[in-house]
């Protein structure tokens, strides 16, 4: 059985990125899928390890470990750019859209207990948003 200690490394981060004005950009499953595909495309290029995530209508939370030498800002910028292109195609809106707050919160996880608490929080996040009944 895999434990939290098996997954923890000192280079894990919890990234929280909100939409501009709290707009519900990720309000439906199709748009969430578009974001996940953008994240997958960036993961193939930048080789980060994704340990948990949650998409809420107005934010994303990613629990990840960047590749050795990887830069969080580059990873987030590439994900936003890829998502924005796909999102604009999907909704048929030309021109530049500003969807995400420029600054995101990146919290380095301190230890195994911090990792366990943050992963539990990511799993629980849809409940208060009434997106699911249980974590």
């Amino acid at each position: 059985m895999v434990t939290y200690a098996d997954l923890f490394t000192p280079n894990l981060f919890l990234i929280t990125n909100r939409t501009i004005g709290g707009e519900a950009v990720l309000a439906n499953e199709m748009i969430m899928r578009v974001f996940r595909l953008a994240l997958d495309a960036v993961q193939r290029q930048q080789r980060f390890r994704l340990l948990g995530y949650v998409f809420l209508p107005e934010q994303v939370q990613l629990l990840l470990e960047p590749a050795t030498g990887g830069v969080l800002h580059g990873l987030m910028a590439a994900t936003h750019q890829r998502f924005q292109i796909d999102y604009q195609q999907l909704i048929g809106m030309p021109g530049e859209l500003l969807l995400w707050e420029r600054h995101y919160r990146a919290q380095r996880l301190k230890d195994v207990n911090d990792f366990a608490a943050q992963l539990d929080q990511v799993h629980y996040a849809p409940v208060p948003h009434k997106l699911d009944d249980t974590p």
Side-chain angles (χ1 to χ4, degrees), residues 78-134:
T79 303
H80 289 162
Q81 182 179 30
R82 177 67 185 253
F83 173 73
Q84 183 151 325
I85 290 167
D86 295 344
Y87 179 76
Q88 284 183 261
Q89 274 185 327
L90 183 68
I91 66 170
M93 180 178 271
E96 190 171 327
L97 289 174
L98 296 176
L99 300 173
W100 301 98
E101 289 182 356
R102 181 180 166 128
H103 299 287
Y104 55 87
R105 181 175 177 233
Q107 174 185 347
R108 184 184 296 266
L109 303 184
K110 298 175 280 205
D111 55 29
V112 173
N113 292 332
D114 191 22
F115 169 57
Q118 295 301 333
L119 186 58
D120 288 348
Q121 182 272 325
V122 164
H123 287 145
Y124 185 74
V127 176
H129 284 79
K130 301 197 185 325
L131 299 172
D132 212 330
D133 294 333
T134 60

